[in-house]
């Protein structure tokens, strides 16, 4: 056998193995970004850099100066969320919801905070509220499926949530992965 034939055979075997691995992973595992998220303990505010602490302090001053300013509360909640300050994020989101109780974005963000802190049933409740407030809200449908499947192991309800998501966003960024999981769930159920 020629040396070039051996090299080609090895490359073909590698390619076949790689493709088989991808197919196996696609069949057996959740798609990237849809599995249970790594839960991290909420970071204490003092763990932030001085720059971030200064920014948080300014946000808190703005909230104290105008606690009825919905946009400032959401901005503060988002800042805390982005820096793993989940208790503070929840507090700001809850304050914002007192002003606009049916805001699907804030309901969804608060739901994700509860999911990340180990309270998936609260997350599902909030995502359900977001879905009622705006049945066209794609992010709440997507996240509802994630929590139902990966945190509560409710495949039937997750399937319904993701079918709703695909009806809203059949060509979206996550649609291909969701469609694959939906097909897998249909086969299992």
């Amino acid at each position: 056998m020629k040396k070039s034939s051996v090299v080609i055979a090895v490359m073909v075997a590698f390619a076949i193995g790689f493709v088989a691995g991808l197919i196996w992973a696609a069949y057996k595992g959740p798609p990237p970004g849809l599995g249970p998220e790594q839960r991290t303990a909420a970071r204490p505010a003092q763990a932030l850099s001085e720059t971030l602490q200064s920014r948080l302090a300014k946000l808190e001053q703005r909230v104290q100066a105008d606690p009825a300013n919905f946009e400032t509360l959401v901005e503060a909640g988002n800042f805390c969320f982005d820096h793993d300050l989940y208790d503070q994020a929840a507090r700001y989101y809850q304050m914002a919801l007192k002003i606009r109780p049916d805001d699907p974005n804030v309901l969804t963000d608060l739901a994700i905070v509860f999911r990340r802190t180990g309270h998936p049933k609260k997350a599902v409740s909030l995502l359900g509220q977001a879905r009622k407030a705006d049945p066209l809200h794609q992010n709440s449908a997507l996240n509802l499926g994630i929590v139902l499947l990966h945190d509560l192991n409710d495949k039937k309800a997750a399937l319904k949530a993701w079918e709703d998501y695909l009806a809203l966003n059949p060509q979206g960024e996550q649609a291909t992965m969701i469609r694959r999981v939906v097909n897998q769930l249909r086969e299992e159920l």
Side-chain angles (χ1 to χ4, degrees):
M1 206 184 250
K2 290 184 178 180
K3 186 177 180 181
S4 62
S5 298
V6 171
V7 170
I8 291 173
V10 168
M11 290 175 66
V12 168
F14 177 77
I16 290 171
F18 181 76
V19 171
L22 287 176
I23 292 170
W24 179 257
Y27 177 72
K28 283 296 185 185
L34 293 179
E37 295 188 22
Q38 193 75 333
R39 289 195 175 49
T40 350
R43 179 192 325 196
Q46 61 267 29
L48 296 175
S49 71
E50 284 184 34
T51 304
L52 293 176
Q53 284 182 11
S54 173
R55 183 153 176 235
L56 179 59
K58 288 177 184 173
L59 280 169
E60 288 174 346
Q61 287 173 352
R62 288 174 48 207
V63 167
Q64 288 175 2
D66 188 4
N69 186 318
F70 178 82
E71 286 76 20
T72 301
L73 291 167
V74 172
E75 182 182 351
N78 290 343
F79 177 86
C80 292
F81 179 92
D82 291 343
H83 295 92
D84 301 331
L85 303 170
Y86 296 126
D87 291 339
Q88 289 172 277
R91 183 170 52 90
Y92 289 126
Y93 289 146
Q94 288 167 337
M95 290 170 69
L97 288 170
K98 287 181 182 174
I99 298 166
R100 293 188 196 161
D102 292 331
D103 187 284
N105 294 315
V106 177
L107 287 164
T108 300
D109 290 344
L110 182 57
I112 295 169
V113 166
F114 280 125
R115 178 183 189 237
R116 289 191 179 175
T117 57
H119 303 284
K121 289 182 181 178
K122 286 182 182 179
V124 167
S125 175
L126 288 164
L127 291 165
Q129 289 177 41
R131 302 287 304 129
K132 285 180 186 169
D134 182 359
L136 302 178
H137 194 257
Q138 297 172 19
N139 197 25
S140 59
L142 176 68
N143 280 284
L144 182 58
I146 292 169
V147 176
L148 288 166
L149 181 64
H150 296 293
D151 297 315
L152 299 176
N153 198 31
D154 188 342
K155 293 177 181 180
K156 187 175 181 181
L159 176 61
K160 169 73 172 104
W162 281 337
E163 287 172 338
D164 291 347
Y165 171 77
L166 289 173
L168 296 171
N169 193 6
Q171 302 303 319
E173 187 178 315
Q174 303 283 340
T176 302
M177 286 190 294
I178 297 297
R179 195 170 289 107
R180 181 174 55 79
V181 175
V182 162
N183 290 335
Q184 184 178 349
L185 288 173
R186 285 179 182 151
E187 287 177 15
E188 291 177 17
L189 297 173

